[in-house]
Amino acid sequence: EDKVVQSPLSLVVHEGDTVTLNCSYEVTNFRSLLWYKQEKKAPTFLFMLTSSGIEKKSGRLSSILDKKELSSILNITATQTGDSAIYLCAVEYGNKLVFGAGTILRVKS
Amino acid sequence: DTGVSQDPRHKITKRGQNVTFRCDPISEHNRLYWYRQTLGQGPEFLTYFQNEAQLEKSRLLSDRFSAERPKGSFSTLEIQRTEQGDSAMYLCASSMGTSGRALHEQYFGPGTRLTVT
């Protein structure tokens, strides 16, 4: 069965720390991997990755895909309290997304 | 507001009742998706539409669940004979549905939280 596993399940850090969130997947016919941020309501899109080894960056966030290892990481540098959220990883196959359970990140001031 | 909207935002119903939720996607988006999210889990795919055509519905949780998008614009999700296990957040998302990032960058609505008592 297709599955997406994220680790850690939750994480508490202090402002200014750097965090790395992990996502691994077992999906047939992989097409792309997406990262979303979910605060109190709907998930918002962060990145889409299709090619191995190419880093995507947006400000303090970056992500990279390793197709050989069937995994991806999301890095957040110089964390801020506003980064506190659930970070969801999803893998696209067959025109639908399969989500992991998410990593709950809490950034303390 | 030109984002995805859902109505109602909250619904409390008694077991056995039918409920219907509405989703209005972003106007130029031709793909519309329904997900269910329970506490501590990521969204779980239910079904999706390309315009008015329902292209995938095998993940609908049971025959009590049905979805429509009659004119290719808004969509409804109906749950008949609700059960307590149906209590969850029901999320709608839409995307441009063309290719690459436009296909996969799904914009989510605020969700409808269903509580079955």
PDB file of all heavy atoms in Angstrom, chain A residues 36-59:
ATOM      1  N   TYR A  36       3.697  21.079   2.303  1.00  0.00           N
ATOM      2  CA  TYR A  36       2.679  22.055   2.682  1.00  0.00           C
ATOM      3  C   TYR A  36       2.901  22.462   4.130  1.00  0.00           C
ATOM      4  O   TYR A  36       3.406  21.683   4.944  1.00  0.00           O
ATOM      5  CB  TYR A  36       1.266  21.473   2.571  1.00  0.00           C
ATOM      6  CG  TYR A  36       0.735  21.340   1.163  1.00  0.00           C
ATOM      7  CD1 TYR A  36       1.066  20.252   0.368  1.00  0.00           C
ATOM      8  CD2 TYR A  36      -0.116  22.311   0.637  1.00  0.00           C
ATOM      9  CE1 TYR A  36       0.571  20.131  -0.918  1.00  0.00           C
ATOM     10  CE2 TYR A  36      -0.628  22.198  -0.657  1.00  0.00           C
ATOM     11  CZ  TYR A  36      -0.281  21.096  -1.421  1.00  0.00           C
ATOM     12  OH  TYR A  36      -0.778  20.986  -2.695  1.00  0.00           O
ATOM     13  N   LYS A  37       2.463  23.676   4.448  1.00  0.00           N
ATOM     14  CA  LYS A  37       2.465  24.162   5.830  1.00  0.00           C
ATOM     15  C   LYS A  37       1.012  24.311   6.250  1.00  0.00           C
ATOM     16  O   LYS A  37       0.212  24.921   5.533  1.00  0.00           O
ATOM     17  CB  LYS A  37       3.170  25.515   5.907  1.00  0.00           C
ATOM     18  CG  LYS A  37       3.183  26.152   7.291  1.00  0.00           C
ATOM     19  CD  LYS A  37       3.872  27.516   7.242  1.00  0.00           C
ATOM     20  CE  LYS A  37       3.924  28.175   8.612  1.00  0.00           C
ATOM     21  NZ  LYS A  37       4.547  29.531   8.557  1.00  0.00           N
ATOM     22  N   GLN A  38       0.654  23.745   7.408  1.00  0.00           N
ATOM     23  CA  GLN A  38      -0.712  23.866   7.897  1.00  0.00           C
ATOM     24  C   GLN A  38      -0.700  24.520   9.262  1.00  0.00           C
ATOM     25  O   GLN A  38      -0.167  23.958  10.215  1.00  0.00           O
ATOM     26  CB  GLN A  38      -1.405  22.502   7.943  1.00  0.00           C
ATOM     27  CG  GLN A  38      -2.881  22.590   8.306  1.00  0.00           C
ATOM     28  CD  GLN A  38      -3.614  21.272   8.158  1.00  0.00           C
ATOM     29  OE1 GLN A  38      -3.019  20.197   8.278  1.00  0.00           O
ATOM     30  NE2 GLN A  38      -4.918  21.329   7.909  1.00  0.00           N
ATOM     31  N   GLU A  39      -1.283  25.708   9.342  1.00  0.00           N
ATOM     32  CA  GLU A  39      -1.429  26.372  10.627  1.00  0.00           C
ATOM     33  C   GLU A  39      -2.801  25.993  11.170  1.00  0.00           C
ATOM     34  O   GLU A  39      -3.143  24.820  11.182  1.00  0.00           O
ATOM     35  CB  GLU A  39      -1.173  27.860  10.468  1.00  0.00           C
ATOM     36  CG  GLU A  39       0.277  28.095  10.031  1.00  0.00           C
ATOM     37  CD  GLU A  39       0.621  29.512   9.696  1.00  0.00           C
ATOM     38  OE1 GLU A  39       0.966  30.270  10.620  1.00  0.00           O
ATOM     39  OE2 GLU A  39       0.575  29.857   8.500  1.00  0.00           O
ATOM     40  N   LYS A  40      -3.604  26.942  11.543  1.00  0.00           N
ATOM     41  CA  LYS A  40      -4.846  26.508  12.189  1.00  0.00           C
ATOM     42  C   LYS A  40      -5.906  26.046  11.210  1.00  0.00           C
ATOM     43  O   LYS A  40      -6.922  25.491  11.595  1.00  0.00           O
ATOM     44  CB  LYS A  40      -5.376  27.624  13.075  1.00  0.00           C
ATOM     45  CG  LYS A  40      -4.516  27.801  14.309  1.00  0.00           C
ATOM     46  CD  LYS A  40      -5.133  28.762  15.290  1.00  0.00           C
ATOM     47  CE  LYS A  40      -4.241  28.858  16.524  1.00  0.00           C
ATOM     48  NZ  LYS A  40      -4.708  29.887  17.473  1.00  0.00           N
ATOM     49  N   LYS A  41      -5.692  26.255   9.967  1.00  0.00           N
ATOM     50  CA  LYS A  41      -6.735  25.851   9.024  1.00  0.00           C
ATOM     51  C   LYS A  41      -6.169  25.097   7.829  1.00  0.00           C
ATOM     52  O   LYS A  41      -5.613  24.016   7.974  1.00  0.00           O
ATOM     53  CB  LYS A  41      -7.555  27.061   8.595  1.00  0.00           C
ATOM     54  CG  LYS A  41      -6.758  28.341   8.402  1.00  0.00           C
ATOM     55  CD  LYS A  41      -7.673  29.523   8.146  1.00  0.00           C
ATOM     56  CE  LYS A  41      -6.860  30.782   7.943  1.00  0.00           C
ATOM     57  NZ  LYS A  41      -7.695  31.951   7.661  1.00  0.00           N
ATOM     58  N   ALA A  42      -6.299  25.656   6.635  1.00  0.00           N
ATOM     59  CA  ALA A  42      -6.005  24.874   5.440  1.00  0.00           C
ATOM     60  C   ALA A  42      -4.507  24.802   5.164  1.00  0.00           C
ATOM     61  O   ALA A  42      -3.765  25.738   5.430  1.00  0.00           O
ATOM     62  CB  ALA A  42      -6.717  25.488   4.244  1.00  0.00           C
ATOM     63  N   PRO A  43      -4.033  23.682   4.596  1.00  0.00           N
ATOM     64  CA  PRO A  43      -2.628  23.606   4.188  1.00  0.00           C
ATOM     65  C   PRO A  43      -2.311  24.621   3.085  1.00  0.00           C
ATOM     66  O   PRO A  43      -3.135  24.851   2.198  1.00  0.00           O
ATOM     67  CB  PRO A  43      -2.498  22.174   3.642  1.00  0.00           C
ATOM     68  CG  PRO A  43      -3.655  21.422   4.199  1.00  0.00           C
ATOM     69  CD  PRO A  43      -4.750  22.420   4.340  1.00  0.00           C
ATOM     70  N   THR A  44      -1.135  25.216   3.170  1.00  0.00           N
ATOM     71  CA  THR A  44      -0.684  26.122   2.116  1.00  0.00           C
ATOM     72  C   THR A  44       0.570  25.546   1.470  1.00  0.00           C
ATOM     73  O   THR A  44       1.441  25.011   2.143  1.00  0.00           O
ATOM     74  CB  THR A  44      -0.395  27.544   2.645  1.00  0.00           C
ATOM     75  OG1 THR A  44       0.517  27.433   3.743  1.00  0.00           O
ATOM     76  CG2 THR A  44      -1.660  28.212   3.111  1.00  0.00           C
ATOM     77  N   PHE A  45       0.649  25.683   0.169  1.00  0.00           N
ATOM     78  CA  PHE A  45       1.700  25.076  -0.636  1.00  0.00           C
ATOM     79  C   PHE A  45       3.053  25.721  -0.350  1.00  0.00           C
ATOM     80  O   PHE A  45       3.168  26.943  -0.264  1.00  0.00           O
ATOM     81  CB  PHE A  45       1.331  25.237  -2.107  1.00  0.00           C
ATOM     82  CG  PHE A  45       2.372  24.773  -3.079  1.00  0.00           C
ATOM     83  CD1 PHE A  45       2.426  23.456  -3.486  1.00  0.00           C
ATOM     84  CD2 PHE A  45       3.291  25.670  -3.609  1.00  0.00           C
ATOM     85  CE1 PHE A  45       3.380  23.020  -4.398  1.00  0.00           C
ATOM     86  CE2 PHE A  45       4.250  25.251  -4.518  1.00  0.00           C
ATOM     87  CZ  PHE A  45       4.284  23.922  -4.915  1.00  0.00           C
ATOM     88  N   LEU A  46       4.104  24.890  -0.225  1.00  0.00           N
ATOM     89  CA  LEU A  46       5.473  25.398  -0.064  1.00  0.00           C
ATOM     90  C   LEU A  46       6.321  25.071  -1.288  1.00  0.00           C
ATOM     91  O   LEU A  46       6.842  25.963  -1.953  1.00  0.00           O
ATOM     92  CB  LEU A  46       6.122  24.794   1.186  1.00  0.00           C
ATOM     93  CG  LEU A  46       5.531  25.179   2.544  1.00  0.00           C
ATOM     94  CD1 LEU A  46       6.211  24.402   3.655  1.00  0.00           C
ATOM     95  CD2 LEU A  46       5.658  26.677   2.783  1.00  0.00           C
ATOM     96  N   PHE A  47       6.504  23.788  -1.577  1.00  0.00           N
ATOM     97  CA  PHE A  47       7.388  23.355  -2.647  1.00  0.00           C
ATOM     98  C   PHE A  47       6.813  22.160  -3.392  1.00  0.00           C
ATOM     99  O   PHE A  47       6.087  21.363  -2.812  1.00  0.00           O
ATOM    100  CB  PHE A  47       8.746  22.883  -2.085  1.00  0.00           C
ATOM    101  CG  PHE A  47       9.546  23.921  -1.385  1.00  0.00           C
ATOM    102  CD1 PHE A  47       9.731  23.847  -0.018  1.00  0.00           C
ATOM    103  CD2 PHE A  47      10.138  24.958  -2.086  1.00  0.00           C
ATOM    104  CE1 PHE A  47      10.483  24.801   0.645  1.00  0.00           C
ATOM    105  CE2 PHE A  47      10.894  25.915  -1.434  1.00  0.00           C
ATOM    106  CZ  PHE A  47      11.063  25.840  -0.069  1.00  0.00           C
ATOM    107  N   MET A  48       7.224  22.046  -4.643  1.00  0.00           N
ATOM    108  CA  MET A  48       7.000  20.819  -5.392  1.00  0.00           C
ATOM    109  C   MET A  48       8.338  20.368  -5.942  1.00  0.00           C
ATOM    110  O   MET A  48       9.087  21.175  -6.516  1.00  0.00           O
ATOM    111  CB  MET A  48       6.028  21.032  -6.554  1.00  0.00           C
ATOM    112  CG  MET A  48       5.684  19.731  -7.271  1.00  0.00           C
ATOM    113  SD  MET A  48       4.506  19.961  -8.588  1.00  0.00           S
ATOM    114  CE  MET A  48       5.599  20.139  -9.987  1.00  0.00           C
ATOM    115  N   LEU A  49       8.658  19.087  -5.773  1.00  0.00           N
ATOM    116  CA  LEU A  49       9.937  18.530  -6.200  1.00  0.00           C
ATOM    117  C   LEU A  49       9.668  17.355  -7.122  1.00  0.00           C
ATOM    118  O   LEU A  49       8.890  16.463  -6.799  1.00  0.00           O
ATOM    119  CB  LEU A  49      10.739  18.052  -4.982  1.00  0.00           C
ATOM    120  CG  LEU A  49      11.005  19.120  -3.925  1.00  0.00           C
ATOM    121  CD1 LEU A  49      11.009  18.523  -2.535  1.00  0.00           C
ATOM    122  CD2 LEU A  49      12.337  19.780  -4.209  1.00  0.00           C
ATOM    123  N   THR A  50      10.346  17.368  -8.259  1.00  0.00           N
ATOM    124  CA  THR A  50      10.202  16.236  -9.161  1.00  0.00           C
ATOM    125  C   THR A  50      11.550  15.600  -9.488  1.00  0.00           C
ATOM    126  O   THR A  50      11.619  14.422  -9.805  1.00  0.00           O
ATOM    127  CB  THR A  50       9.530  16.664 -10.480  1.00  0.00           C
ATOM    128  OG1 THR A  50      10.276  17.742 -11.045  1.00  0.00           O
ATOM    129  CG2 THR A  50       8.109  17.110 -10.245  1.00  0.00           C
ATOM    130  N   SER A  51      12.606  16.379  -9.423  1.00  0.00           N
ATOM    131  CA  SER A  51      13.919  15.874  -9.821  1.00  0.00           C
ATOM    132  C   SER A  51      14.817  15.699  -8.610  1.00  0.00           C
ATOM    133  O   SER A  51      14.852  16.542  -7.715  1.00  0.00           O
ATOM    134  CB  SER A  51      14.580  16.853 -10.794  1.00  0.00           C
ATOM    135  OG  SER A  51      13.776  17.011 -11.933  1.00  0.00           O
ATOM    136  N   SER A  52      15.555  14.636  -8.643  1.00  0.00           N
ATOM    137  CA  SER A  52      16.439  14.324  -7.524  1.00  0.00           C
ATOM    138  C   SER A  52      17.596  15.302  -7.469  1.00  0.00           C
ATOM    139  O   SER A  52      18.143  15.690  -8.508  1.00  0.00           O
ATOM    140  CB  SER A  52      16.980  12.913  -7.721  1.00  0.00           C
ATOM    141  OG  SER A  52      17.121  12.236  -6.516  1.00  0.00           O
ATOM    142  N   GLY A  53      17.962  15.706  -6.287  1.00  0.00           N
ATOM    143  CA  GLY A  53      19.200  16.451  -6.098  1.00  0.00           C
ATOM    144  C   GLY A  53      19.125  17.936  -6.368  1.00  0.00           C
ATOM    145  O   GLY A  53      20.100  18.652  -6.173  1.00  0.00           O
ATOM    146  N   ILE A  54      17.975  18.417  -6.805  1.00  0.00           N
ATOM    147  CA  ILE A  54      17.851  19.854  -7.084  1.00  0.00           C
ATOM    148  C   ILE A  54      17.146  20.509  -5.906  1.00  0.00           C
ATOM    149  O   ILE A  54      16.007  20.170  -5.584  1.00  0.00           O
ATOM    150  CB  ILE A  54      17.081  20.103  -8.381  1.00  0.00           C
ATOM    151  CG1 ILE A  54      17.840  19.509  -9.562  1.00  0.00           C
ATOM    152  CG2 ILE A  54      16.850  21.605  -8.589  1.00  0.00           C
ATOM    153  CD1 ILE A  54      17.122  19.595 -10.874  1.00  0.00           C
ATOM    154  N   GLU A  55      17.835  21.450  -5.278  1.00  0.00           N
ATOM    155  CA  GLU A  55      17.278  22.086  -4.103  1.00  0.00           C
ATOM    156  C   GLU A  55      16.334  23.215  -4.503  1.00  0.00           C
ATOM    157  O   GLU A  55      16.645  24.014  -5.378  1.00  0.00           O
ATOM    158  CB  GLU A  55      18.397  22.653  -3.225  1.00  0.00           C
ATOM    159  CG  GLU A  55      17.905  23.233  -1.905  1.00  0.00           C
ATOM    160  CD  GLU A  55      19.041  23.844  -1.093  1.00  0.00           C
ATOM    161  OE1 GLU A  55      19.825  24.621  -1.652  1.00  0.00           O
ATOM    162  OE2 GLU A  55      19.122  23.544   0.115  1.00  0.00           O
ATOM    163  N   LYS A  56      15.187  23.247  -3.845  1.00  0.00           N
ATOM    164  CA  LYS A  56      14.271  24.367  -4.006  1.00  0.00           C
ATOM    165  C   LYS A  56      14.394  25.250  -2.767  1.00  0.00           C
ATOM    166  O   LYS A  56      14.465  24.747  -1.655  1.00  0.00           O
ATOM    167  CB  LYS A  56      12.822  23.856  -4.118  1.00  0.00           C
ATOM    168  CG  LYS A  56      12.539  23.055  -5.368  1.00  0.00           C
ATOM    169  CD  LYS A  56      12.298  23.945  -6.538  1.00  0.00           C
ATOM    170  CE  LYS A  56      11.907  23.178  -7.795  1.00  0.00           C
ATOM    171  NZ  LYS A  56      10.471  23.026  -7.954  1.00  0.00           N
ATOM    172  N   LYS A  57      14.435  26.563  -2.982  1.00  0.00           N
ATOM    173  CA  LYS A  57      14.584  27.483  -1.860  1.00  0.00           C
ATOM    174  C   LYS A  57      13.535  28.570  -1.920  1.00  0.00           C
ATOM    175  O   LYS A  57      13.153  29.029  -2.997  1.00  0.00           O
ATOM    176  CB  LYS A  57      15.966  28.155  -1.899  1.00  0.00           C
ATOM    177  CG  LYS A  57      17.105  27.303  -1.385  1.00  0.00           C
ATOM    178  CD  LYS A  57      18.405  28.086  -1.384  1.00  0.00           C
ATOM    179  CE  LYS A  57      18.439  29.120  -0.282  1.00  0.00           C
ATOM    180  NZ  LYS A  57      18.814  28.534   1.032  1.00  0.00           N
ATOM    181  N   SER A  58      13.083  28.951  -0.729  1.00  0.00           N
ATOM    182  CA  SER A  58      12.194  30.090  -0.621  1.00  0.00           C
ATOM    183  C   SER A  58      12.496  30.756   0.709  1.00  0.00           C
ATOM    184  O   SER A  58      12.041  30.296   1.763  1.00  0.00           O
ATOM    185  CB  SER A  58      10.728  29.653  -0.688  1.00  0.00           C
ATOM    186  OG  SER A  58       9.869  30.757  -0.487  1.00  0.00           O
ATOM    187  N   GLY A  59      13.301  31.791   0.667  1.00  0.00           N
ATOM    188  CA  GLY A  59      13.680  32.479   1.903  1.00  0.00           C
ATOM    189  C   GLY A  59      14.475  31.557   2.813  1.00  0.00           C
ATOM    190  O   GLY A  59      15.500  30.997   2.400  1.00  0.00           O
TER     191      GLY A  59
END
